[in-house]
Short mmCIF file of all heavy atoms in Angstrom, two decimals:
data_model
loop_
_atom_site.label_atom_id
_atom_site.label_comp_id
_atom_site.label_asym_id
_atom_site.label_seq_id
_atom_site.Cartn_x
_atom_site.Cartn_y
_atom_site.Cartn_z
N MET B 5 7.26 -14.98 11.42
CA MET B 5 6.48 -15.58 10.33
C MET B 5 7.52 -16.12 9.31
O MET B 5 8.42 -15.40 8.94
CB MET B 5 5.58 -14.51 9.76
CG MET B 5 4.57 -13.99 10.82
SD MET B 5 3.58 -12.52 10.35
CE MET B 5 2.35 -13.25 9.30
N PRO B 6 7.34 -17.35 8.91
CA PRO B 6 8.37 -18.07 8.11
C PRO B 6 8.84 -17.29 6.87
O PRO B 6 10.01 -17.25 6.59
CB PRO B 6 7.69 -19.37 7.73
CG PRO B 6 6.62 -19.58 8.71
CD PRO B 6 6.16 -18.19 9.17
N ASN B 7 7.94 -16.68 6.16
CA ASN B 7 8.33 -15.98 4.93
C ASN B 7 8.22 -14.47 5.08
O ASN B 7 8.09 -13.75 4.09
CB ASN B 7 7.45 -16.47 3.77
CG ASN B 7 7.65 -17.96 3.50
OD1 ASN B 7 8.77 -18.41 3.41
ND2 ASN B 7 6.56 -18.69 3.47
N GLY B 8 8.28 -13.99 6.31
CA GLY B 8 8.19 -12.57 6.54
C GLY B 8 6.75 -12.14 6.69
O GLY B 8 5.83 -12.87 6.37
N LYS B 9 6.54 -10.93 7.18
CA LYS B 9 5.18 -10.43 7.39
C LYS B 9 4.79 -9.55 6.22
O LYS B 9 5.40 -8.50 5.97
CB LYS B 9 5.14 -9.64 8.70
CG LYS B 9 3.72 -9.20 9.08
CD LYS B 9 3.70 -8.26 10.25
CE LYS B 9 3.90 -6.82 9.76
NZ LYS B 9 2.92 -6.38 8.73
N PRO B 10 3.75 -9.95 5.50
CA PRO B 10 3.27 -9.08 4.41
C PRO B 10 2.75 -7.73 4.94
O PRO B 10 2.24 -7.67 6.08
CB PRO B 10 2.15 -9.90 3.80
CG PRO B 10 2.27 -11.26 4.29
CD PRO B 10 2.95 -11.16 5.64
N ALA B 11 2.91 -6.71 4.14
CA ALA B 11 2.37 -5.39 4.55
C ALA B 11 0.86 -5.48 4.77
O ALA B 11 0.14 -6.20 4.07
CB ALA B 11 2.65 -4.38 3.46
N GLY B 12 0.40 -4.83 5.82
CA GLY B 12 -1.04 -4.76 6.07
C GLY B 12 -1.56 -5.96 6.85
O GLY B 12 -2.76 -6.05 7.10
N VAL B 13 -0.71 -6.94 7.17
CA VAL B 13 -1.12 -8.12 7.88
C VAL B 13 -0.53 -8.11 9.27
O VAL B 13 0.67 -7.86 9.42
CB VAL B 13 -0.68 -9.41 7.13
CG1 VAL B 13 -0.99 -10.66 7.93
CG2 VAL B 13 -1.29 -9.45 5.74
N ALA B 14 -1.34 -8.32 10.27
CA ALA B 14 -0.84 -8.33 11.65
C ALA B 14 0.05 -9.55 11.88
O ALA B 14 -0.15 -10.62 11.30
CB ALA B 14 -1.97 -8.36 12.65
N CYS B 15 1.09 -9.37 12.66
CA CYS B 15 1.97 -10.46 13.01
C CYS B 15 1.21 -11.55 13.72
O CYS B 15 0.31 -11.31 14.54
CB CYS B 15 3.08 -9.95 13.94
SG CYS B 15 4.23 -11.24 14.53
N ILE B 16 1.55 -12.82 13.41
CA ILE B 16 0.81 -13.95 14.03
C ILE B 16 1.07 -14.06 15.52
O ILE B 16 0.34 -14.75 16.22
CB ILE B 16 1.18 -15.30 13.35
CG1 ILE B 16 2.66 -15.56 13.44
CG2 ILE B 16 0.68 -15.32 11.91
CD1 ILE B 16 3.10 -16.95 12.97
N HIS B 17 2.08 -13.34 16.03
CA HIS B 17 2.42 -13.40 17.43
C HIS B 17 1.75 -12.24 18.21
O HIS B 17 1.95 -12.18 19.43
CB HIS B 17 3.92 -13.35 17.63
CG HIS B 17 4.63 -14.45 16.95
ND1 HIS B 17 4.43 -15.79 17.27
CD2 HIS B 17 5.53 -14.47 15.92
CE1 HIS B 17 5.19 -16.54 16.46
NE2 HIS B 17 5.85 -15.76 15.63
N LEU B 18 1.04 -11.41 17.54
CA LEU B 18 0.39 -10.29 18.23
C LEU B 18 -0.90 -10.77 18.92
O LEU B 18 -1.79 -11.30 18.29
CB LEU B 18 0.04 -9.17 17.20
CG LEU B 18 -0.51 -7.90 17.75
CD1 LEU B 18 0.54 -7.18 18.63
CD2 LEU B 18 -0.95 -6.97 16.62
N LEU B 19 -0.93 -10.58 20.24
CA LEU B 19 -2.10 -11.00 21.02
C LEU B 19 -3.21 -9.97 20.94
O LEU B 19 -3.02 -8.83 20.52
CB LEU B 19 -1.65 -11.25 22.47
CG LEU B 19 -0.56 -12.29 22.66
CD1 LEU B 19 -0.04 -12.30 24.13
CD2 LEU B 19 -1.06 -13.66 22.31
N ASN B 20 -4.37 -10.38 21.40
CA ASN B 20 -5.54 -9.48 21.37
C ASN B 20 -5.33 -8.21 22.21
O ASN B 20 -5.97 -7.20 21.91
CB ASN B 20 -6.79 -10.21 21.88
CG ASN B 20 -7.28 -11.21 20.88
OD1 ASN B 20 -6.99 -11.13 19.69
ND2 ASN B 20 -8.03 -12.21 21.31
N ASP B 21 -4.49 -8.29 23.22
CA ASP B 21 -4.20 -7.12 24.03
C ASP B 21 -2.98 -6.33 23.49
O ASP B 21 -2.42 -5.47 24.19
CB ASP B 21 -3.98 -7.46 25.50
CG ASP B 21 -2.81 -8.41 25.72
OD1 ASP B 21 -2.12 -8.77 24.72
OD2 ASP B 21 -2.55 -8.80 26.89
N PHE B 22 -2.59 -6.64 22.24
CA PHE B 22 -1.48 -5.97 21.55
C PHE B 22 -0.12 -6.25 22.14
O PHE B 22 0.83 -5.51 21.88
CB PHE B 22 -1.75 -4.45 21.41
CG PHE B 22 -3.04 -4.14 20.73
CD1 PHE B 22 -4.02 -3.44 21.44
CD2 PHE B 22 -3.32 -4.56 19.46
CE1 PHE B 22 -5.26 -3.17 20.85
CE2 PHE B 22 -4.52 -4.30 18.85
CZ PHE B 22 -5.50 -3.60 19.53
N LYS B 23 -0.01 -7.26 22.99
CA LYS B 23 1.29 -7.67 23.49
C LYS B 23 1.85 -8.75 22.58
O LYS B 23 1.11 -9.40 21.81
CB LYS B 23 1.17 -8.20 24.93
CG LYS B 23 0.79 -7.11 25.91
CD LYS B 23 0.69 -7.67 27.31
CE LYS B 23 0.27 -6.57 28.31
NZ LYS B 23 0.00 -7.09 29.64
N CYS B 24 3.17 -8.92 22.68
CA CYS B 24 3.83 -9.91 21.82
C CYS B 24 3.82 -11.27 22.58
O CYS B 24 4.30 -11.35 23.70
CB CYS B 24 5.25 -9.47 21.56
SG CYS B 24 6.24 -10.69 20.68
N ALA B 25 3.35 -12.31 21.90
CA ALA B 25 3.28 -13.65 22.51
C ALA B 25 4.62 -14.27 22.69
O ALA B 25 4.77 -15.22 23.49
CB ALA B 25 2.37 -14.57 21.66
N ILE B 26 5.67 -13.80 21.99
CA ILE B 26 6.98 -14.43 22.11
C ILE B 26 8.02 -13.41 22.63
O ILE B 26 9.21 -13.61 22.45
CB ILE B 26 7.42 -15.03 20.77
CG1 ILE B 26 7.45 -13.98 19.65
CG2 ILE B 26 6.52 -16.21 20.40
CD1 ILE B 26 8.06 -14.49 18.34
N PHE B 27 7.54 -12.35 23.31
CA PHE B 27 8.47 -11.36 23.84
C PHE B 27 9.44 -12.04 24.80
O PHE B 27 9.06 -12.88 25.64
CB PHE B 27 7.66 -10.28 24.59
CG PHE B 27 8.44 -9.04 24.88
CD1 PHE B 27 8.63 -8.10 23.89
CD2 PHE B 27 9.03 -8.87 26.14
CE1 PHE B 27 9.37 -6.95 24.15
CE2 PHE B 27 9.79 -7.75 26.41
CZ PHE B 27 9.95 -6.76 25.42
N ASN B 28 10.70 -11.72 24.67
CA ASN B 28 11.78 -12.29 25.52
C ASN B 28 12.02 -13.78 25.26
O ASN B 28 12.66 -14.44 26.06
CB ASN B 28 11.54 -12.05 27.00
CG ASN B 28 11.88 -10.65 27.44
OD1 ASN B 28 12.68 -9.98 26.78
ND2 ASN B 28 11.34 -10.20 28.54
N LYS B 29 11.52 -14.29 24.13
CA LYS B 29 11.79 -15.67 23.79
C LYS B 29 12.78 -15.68 22.61
O LYS B 29 12.78 -14.73 21.80
CB LYS B 29 10.51 -16.41 23.40
CG LYS B 29 9.56 -16.60 24.59
CD LYS B 29 8.38 -17.44 24.23
CE LYS B 29 7.51 -17.65 25.50
NZ LYS B 29 6.29 -18.35 25.20
N PRO B 30 13.61 -16.72 22.51
CA PRO B 30 14.64 -16.71 21.46
C PRO B 30 14.08 -16.67 20.05
O PRO B 30 14.73 -16.20 19.13
CB PRO B 30 15.41 -18.00 21.72
CG PRO B 30 14.66 -18.76 22.76
CD PRO B 30 13.66 -17.86 23.40
N GLU B 31 12.86 -17.16 19.86
CA GLU B 31 12.29 -17.15 18.51
C GLU B 31 11.80 -15.81 18.03
O GLU B 31 11.44 -15.62 16.88
CB GLU B 31 11.18 -18.21 18.35
CG GLU B 31 10.03 -18.02 19.33
CD GLU B 31 10.17 -18.83 20.62
OE1 GLU B 31 11.31 -18.96 21.12
OE2 GLU B 31 9.16 -19.31 21.11
N ARG B 32 11.80 -14.82 18.95
CA ARG B 32 11.39 -13.48 18.55
C ARG B 32 12.43 -12.95 17.58
O ARG B 32 13.64 -12.98 17.89
CB ARG B 32 11.26 -12.59 19.77
CG ARG B 32 10.71 -11.22 19.44
CD ARG B 32 10.55 -10.40 20.74
NE ARG B 32 10.05 -9.05 20.48
CZ ARG B 32 10.59 -7.98 21.02
NH1 ARG B 32 11.63 -8.07 21.82
NH2 ARG B 32 10.10 -6.78 20.73
N PRO B 33 12.01 -12.43 16.41
CA PRO B 33 13.00 -11.94 15.42
C PRO B 33 13.89 -10.88 16.02
O PRO B 33 13.44 -10.03 16.76
CB PRO B 33 12.12 -11.37 14.32
CG PRO B 33 10.79 -12.09 14.45
CD PRO B 33 10.62 -12.33 15.94
N ASN B 34 15.17 -10.90 15.61
CA ASN B 34 16.11 -9.91 16.10
C ASN B 34 15.65 -8.51 15.74
O ASN B 34 15.89 -7.56 16.46
CB ASN B 34 17.49 -10.15 15.49
CG ASN B 34 18.16 -11.38 16.08
OD1 ASN B 34 17.84 -11.77 17.18
ND2 ASN B 34 19.05 -11.99 15.32
N PHE B 35 15.01 -8.39 14.59
CA PHE B 35 14.56 -7.07 14.16
C PHE B 35 13.61 -6.43 15.19
O PHE B 35 13.71 -5.26 15.49
CB PHE B 35 13.84 -7.12 12.80
CG PHE B 35 13.21 -5.82 12.44
CD1 PHE B 35 13.94 -4.79 11.93
CD2 PHE B 35 11.84 -5.62 12.66
CE1 PHE B 35 13.37 -3.59 11.62
CE2 PHE B 35 11.25 -4.40 12.35
CZ PHE B 35 12.04 -3.36 11.84
N CYS B 36 12.74 -7.27 15.74
CA CYS B 36 11.78 -6.74 16.71
C CYS B 36 12.50 -6.17 17.96
O CYS B 36 12.15 -5.13 18.45
CB CYS B 36 10.80 -7.82 17.14
SG CYS B 36 9.85 -8.49 15.78
N GLY B 37 13.53 -6.89 18.41
CA GLY B 37 14.26 -6.46 19.55
C GLY B 37 15.11 -5.22 19.26
O GLY B 37 15.41 -4.43 20.17
N SER B 38 15.52 -5.07 18.00
CA SER B 38 16.38 -3.95 17.63
C SER B 38 15.61 -2.65 17.39
O SER B 38 16.19 -1.59 17.34
CB SER B 38 17.25 -4.30 16.43
OG SER B 38 16.44 -4.37 15.28
N LEU B 39 14.32 -2.82 17.15
CA LEU B 39 13.49 -1.63 16.82
C LEU B 39 13.26 -0.81 18.11
O LEU B 39 12.59 -1.25 19.03
CB LEU B 39 12.15 -2.05 16.22
CG LEU B 39 11.20 -0.94 15.82
CD1 LEU B 39 11.81 -0.14 14.65
CD2 LEU B 39 9.86 -1.51 15.38
N LYS B 40 13.85 0.36 18.13
CA LYS B 40 13.74 1.24 19.31
C LYS B 40 12.61 2.24 19.09
O LYS B 40 12.54 2.90 18.07
CB LYS B 40 15.04 1.97 19.54
CG LYS B 40 16.23 1.07 19.77
CD LYS B 40 16.05 0.16 20.99
CE LYS B 40 17.21 -0.78 21.16
NZ LYS B 40 16.84 -1.99 21.89
N PRO B 41 11.71 2.37 20.08
CA PRO B 41 10.65 3.35 19.97
C PRO B 41 11.23 4.75 19.90
O PRO B 41 12.24 5.07 20.52
CB PRO B 41 9.83 3.18 21.23
CG PRO B 41 10.57 2.26 22.09
CD PRO B 41 11.71 1.63 21.32
N ASN B 42 10.60 5.58 19.12
CA ASN B 42 11.04 6.98 19.06
C ASN B 42 9.83 7.88 18.80
O ASN B 42 8.75 7.41 18.42
CB ASN B 42 12.14 7.18 17.98
CG ASN B 42 11.67 6.87 16.59
OD1 ASN B 42 10.68 7.47 16.13
ND2 ASN B 42 12.34 5.96 15.93
N LEU B 43 10.03 9.14 19.03
CA LEU B 43 8.92 10.10 18.91
C LEU B 43 8.31 10.13 17.55
O LEU B 43 7.09 10.20 17.39
CB LEU B 43 9.45 11.49 19.32
CG LEU B 43 8.38 12.56 19.60
CD1 LEU B 43 7.54 12.11 20.77
CD2 LEU B 43 9.08 13.86 19.95
N GLU B 44 9.15 10.06 16.50
CA GLU B 44 8.61 10.10 15.12
C GLU B 44 7.64 8.96 14.89
O GLU B 44 6.62 9.13 14.22
CB GLU B 44 9.76 10.07 14.12
CG GLU B 44 9.30 10.11 12.70
CD GLU B 44 10.46 9.95 11.70
OE1 GLU B 44 11.55 9.54 12.11
OE2 GLU B 44 10.23 10.24 10.53
N MET B 45 7.97 7.78 15.38
CA MET B 45 7.15 6.61 15.15
C MET B 45 5.97 6.50 16.10
O MET B 45 4.87 6.16 15.70
CB MET B 45 8.01 5.33 15.25
CG MET B 45 7.25 4.02 15.07
SD MET B 45 8.35 2.60 15.02
CE MET B 45 9.02 2.59 16.66
N CYS B 46 6.21 6.83 17.34
CA CYS B 46 5.22 6.56 18.37
C CYS B 46 4.35 7.80 18.72
O CYS B 46 3.24 7.60 19.27
CB CYS B 46 5.89 6.11 19.66
SG CYS B 46 6.86 4.60 19.42
N GLY B 47 4.81 8.98 18.41
CA GLY B 47 4.01 10.17 18.75
C GLY B 47 4.06 10.41 20.26
O GLY B 47 4.71 9.73 21.03
N ASP B 48 3.34 11.39 20.68
CA ASP B 48 3.22 11.70 22.10
C ASP B 48 1.87 12.37 22.33
O ASP B 48 1.02 12.37 21.42
CB ASP B 48 4.37 12.54 22.63
CG ASP B 48 4.42 13.92 21.93
OD1 ASP B 48 3.50 14.25 21.20
OD2 ASP B 48 5.44 14.60 22.11
N GLU B 49 1.67 12.92 23.53
CA GLU B 49 0.37 13.47 23.85
C GLU B 49 -0.03 14.63 22.89
O GLU B 49 -1.21 14.88 22.69
CB GLU B 49 0.32 13.95 25.31
CG GLU B 49 1.24 15.11 25.63
CD GLU B 49 2.66 14.70 25.95
OE1 GLU B 49 2.96 13.46 25.99
OE2 GLU B 49 3.49 15.57 26.16
N LYS B 50 0.93 15.23 22.27
CA LYS B 50 0.62 16.30 21.30
C LYS B 50 -0.03 15.78 20.03
O LYS B 50 -0.68 16.49 19.29
CB LYS B 50 1.91 17.07 20.92
CG LYS B 50 2.42 17.95 22.02
CD LYS B 50 3.62 18.76 21.58
CE LYS B 50 4.82 17.88 21.63
NZ LYS B 50 6.10 18.52 21.40
N HIS B 51 0.17 14.47 19.80
CA HIS B 51 -0.42 13.84 18.61
C HIS B 51 -1.79 13.23 18.88
O HIS B 51 -2.34 12.50 18.04
CB HIS B 51 0.52 12.77 18.06
CG HIS B 51 1.82 13.30 17.57
ND1 HIS B 51 3.01 13.19 18.27
CD2 HIS B 51 2.13 13.98 16.42
CE1 HIS B 51 3.97 13.77 17.58
NE2 HIS B 51 3.51 14.24 16.47
N GLY B 52 -2.37 13.47 20.06
CA GLY B 52 -3.66 12.90 20.38
C GLY B 52 -3.53 11.42 20.76
O GLY B 52 -2.65 11.09 21.58
N ASN B 53 -4.30 10.53 20.16
CA ASN B 53 -4.24 9.11 20.48
C ASN B 53 -2.95 8.53 19.96
O ASN B 53 -2.77 8.41 18.74
CB ASN B 53 -5.44 8.41 19.86
CG ASN B 53 -5.52 6.93 20.23
OD1 ASN B 53 -4.50 6.23 20.15
ND2 ASN B 53 -6.66 6.49 20.62
N ALA B 54 -2.02 8.18 20.84
CA ALA B 54 -0.70 7.73 20.42
C ALA B 54 -0.79 6.43 19.63
O ALA B 54 -0.04 6.24 18.68
CB ALA B 54 0.20 7.54 21.65
N ARG B 55 -1.68 5.53 20.02
CA ARG B 55 -1.79 4.28 19.27
C ARG B 55 -2.24 4.52 17.83
O ARG B 55 -1.70 3.96 16.90
CB ARG B 55 -2.72 3.29 19.97
CG ARG B 55 -2.77 1.98 19.25
CD ARG B 55 -3.51 0.85 19.96
NE ARG B 55 -3.25 -0.37 19.29
CZ ARG B 55 -3.88 -0.75 18.18
NH1 ARG B 55 -4.81 0.01 17.65
NH2 ARG B 55 -3.58 -1.90 17.59
N GLU B 56 -3.29 5.34 17.66
CA GLU B 56 -3.74 5.63 16.31
C GLU B 56 -2.64 6.33 15.53
O GLU B 56 -2.49 6.03 14.32
CB GLU B 56 -4.99 6.53 16.39
CG GLU B 56 -6.21 5.78 16.82
CD GLU B 56 -7.48 6.66 16.84
OE1 GLU B 56 -7.42 7.82 16.35
OE2 GLU B 56 -8.49 6.22 17.40
N TYR B 57 -1.90 7.21 16.15
CA TYR B 57 -0.80 7.91 15.45
C TYR B 57 0.22 6.89 14.97
O TYR B 57 0.67 6.91 13.80
CB TYR B 57 -0.14 8.91 16.38
CG TYR B 57 1.07 9.55 15.77
CD1 TYR B 57 0.99 10.71 15.01
CD2 TYR B 57 2.35 8.98 15.97
CE1 TYR B 57 2.11 11.26 14.42
CE2 TYR B 57 3.46 9.52 15.38
CZ TYR B 57 3.35 10.66 14.62
OH TYR B 57 4.49 11.21 14.05
N ALA B 58 0.64 5.96 15.85
CA ALA B 58 1.66 4.99 15.54
C ALA B 58 1.18 4.03 14.43
O ALA B 58 1.92 3.71 13.53
CB ALA B 58 2.05 4.17 16.76
N ILE B 59 -0.08 3.61 14.51
CA ILE B 59 -0.60 2.75 13.47
C ILE B 59 -0.61 3.44 12.12
O ILE B 59 -0.24 2.83 11.08
CB ILE B 59 -2.05 2.26 13.83
CG1 ILE B 59 -1.99 1.34 15.07
CG2 ILE B 59 -2.70 1.53 12.64
CD1 ILE B 59 -1.28 0.01 14.88
N ALA B 60 -1.01 4.69 12.09
CA ALA B 60 -1.02 5.46 10.85
C ALA B 60 0.41 5.65 10.29
O ALA B 60 0.65 5.46 9.11
CB ALA B 60 -1.67 6.83 11.07
N TRP B 61 1.36 5.93 11.18
CA TRP B 61 2.75 6.11 10.77
C TRP B 61 3.32 4.82 10.20
O TRP B 61 3.94 4.80 9.13
CB TRP B 61 3.55 6.58 11.97
CG TRP B 61 4.91 7.13 11.60
CD1 TRP B 61 5.21 8.42 11.30
CD2 TRP B 61 6.14 6.40 11.47
NE1 TRP B 61 6.55 8.54 11.01
CE2 TRP B 61 7.14 7.30 11.11
CE3 TRP B 61 6.48 5.07 11.65
CZ2 TRP B 61 8.48 6.91 10.90
CZ3 TRP B 61 7.77 4.67 11.44
CH2 TRP B 61 8.76 5.58 11.09
N LEU B 62 3.09 3.67 10.88
CA LEU B 62 3.58 2.38 10.42
C LEU B 62 2.87 1.92 9.14
O LEU B 62 3.51 1.34 8.28
CB LEU B 62 3.43 1.35 11.55
CG LEU B 62 4.37 1.55 12.73
CD1 LEU B 62 3.90 0.69 13.90
CD2 LEU B 62 5.79 1.24 12.35
N SER B 63 1.59 2.20 9.05
CA SER B 63 0.86 1.82 7.84
C SER B 63 1.38 2.57 6.63
O SER B 63 1.55 2.01 5.56
CB SER B 63 -0.64 2.12 8.02
OG SER B 63 -1.21 1.31 9.02
N ASN B 64 1.70 3.85 6.83
CA ASN B 64 2.30 4.62 5.74
C ASN B 64 3.66 4.08 5.36
O ASN B 64 3.98 3.98 4.18
CB ASN B 64 2.42 6.11 6.15
CG ASN B 64 2.85 6.97 4.99
OD1 ASN B 64 2.29 6.87 3.91
ND2 ASN B 64 3.83 7.81 5.21
N LEU B 65 4.47 3.69 6.34
CA LEU B 65 5.79 3.11 6.09
C LEU B 65 5.62 1.80 5.28
O LEU B 65 6.37 1.55 4.36
CB LEU B 65 6.52 2.91 7.41
CG LEU B 65 7.98 2.44 7.30
CD1 LEU B 65 8.81 3.50 6.63
CD2 LEU B 65 8.51 2.13 8.69
N GLU B 66 4.64 0.97 5.72
CA GLU B 66 4.43 -0.28 4.99
C GLU B 66 4.01 0.02 3.56
O GLU B 66 4.47 -0.64 2.65
CB GLU B 66 3.34 -1.10 5.67
CG GLU B 66 3.82 -1.83 6.92
CD GLU B 66 2.85 -2.91 7.37
OE1 GLU B 66 1.63 -2.81 7.09
OE2 GLU B 66 3.32 -3.86 8.04
N HIS B 67 3.16 1.02 3.37
CA HIS B 67 2.69 1.36 2.01
C HIS B 67 3.90 1.81 1.17
O HIS B 67 4.05 1.37 0.02
CB HIS B 67 1.65 2.44 2.12
CG HIS B 67 1.23 2.98 0.76
ND1 HIS B 67 0.46 2.25 -0.12
CD2 HIS B 67 1.55 4.17 0.16
CE1 HIS B 67 0.31 3.00 -1.24
NE2 HIS B 67 0.94 4.18 -1.06
N LEU B 68 4.72 2.65 1.74
CA LEU B 68 5.87 3.23 0.98
C LEU B 68 6.92 2.18 0.67
O LEU B 68 7.70 2.34 -0.30
CB LEU B 68 6.50 4.37 1.77
CG LEU B 68 5.63 5.60 1.93
CD1 LEU B 68 6.30 6.61 2.86
CD2 LEU B 68 5.31 6.24 0.58
N THR B 69 7.03 1.12 1.45
CA THR B 69 8.07 0.10 1.24
C THR B 69 7.50 -1.15 0.63
O THR B 69 8.22 -2.17 0.45
CB THR B 69 8.77 -0.23 2.56
OG1 THR B 69 7.82 -0.72 3.52
CG2 THR B 69 9.50 1.01 3.09
N LYS B 70 6.22 -1.15 0.26
CA LYS B 70 5.62 -2.33 -0.35
C LYS B 70 6.23 -2.61 -1.71
O LYS B 70 6.39 -1.67 -2.50
CB LYS B 70 4.10 -2.03 -0.48
CG LYS B 70 3.29 -3.23 -0.93
CD LYS B 70 1.79 -2.85 -0.94
CE LYS B 70 0.94 -4.01 -1.32
NZ LYS B 70 -0.50 -3.63 -1.30
N PRO B 71 6.57 -3.87 -2.03
CA PRO B 71 7.10 -4.17 -3.35
C PRO B 71 6.14 -3.72 -4.44
O PRO B 71 4.92 -3.79 -4.27
CB PRO B 71 7.24 -5.70 -3.33
CG PRO B 71 7.33 -6.05 -1.88
CD PRO B 71 6.50 -5.05 -1.15
N ASN B 72 6.69 -3.27 -5.53
CA ASN B 72 5.88 -2.76 -6.68
C ASN B 72 5.02 -1.58 -6.32
O ASN B 72 3.97 -1.37 -6.89
CB ASN B 72 5.01 -3.87 -7.25
CG ASN B 72 5.81 -5.07 -7.72
OD1 ASN B 72 6.89 -4.89 -8.29
ND2 ASN B 72 5.34 -6.27 -7.43
N HIS B 73 5.52 -0.80 -5.31
CA HIS B 73 4.78 0.41 -4.91
C HIS B 73 4.76 1.43 -6.04
O HIS B 73 5.67 1.62 -6.75
CB HIS B 73 5.40 0.98 -3.65
CG HIS B 73 4.93 2.36 -3.32
ND1 HIS B 73 5.76 3.43 -3.39
CD2 HIS B 73 3.74 2.82 -2.92
CE1 HIS B 73 5.09 4.55 -3.06
NE2 HIS B 73 3.87 4.18 -2.76
S1 SF4 U 118 7.36 -7.87 18.55
FE1 SF4 U 118 7.75 -8.88 16.56
S2 SF4 U 118 7.15 -11.01 16.92
FE2 SF4 U 118 6.25 -9.80 18.56
S3 SF4 U 118 4.20 -9.30 17.84
FE3 SF4 U 118 5.54 -7.59 17.25
S4 SF4 U 118 6.16 -8.04 15.16
FE4 SF4 U 118 5.39 -9.97 16.07
#
């Protein structure tokens, strides 16, 4: 996204099936490729629904790093 992705807004490259439309393409931001999944961010079967866990974790991170928080 030209001016960065605002907190709480889905990336414009996120497809309906939650895959990245530009995965493995040069225009994919370096940050996306450098972000390594880990247990703290992604959760596991002990956390119940892993997707809901990850969305909650990332939403909290966005909230905590939002300008003028
Ligand atoms: S990997 Fe990066 S470019 Fe692709 S959908 Fe996720 S945030 Fe967007």
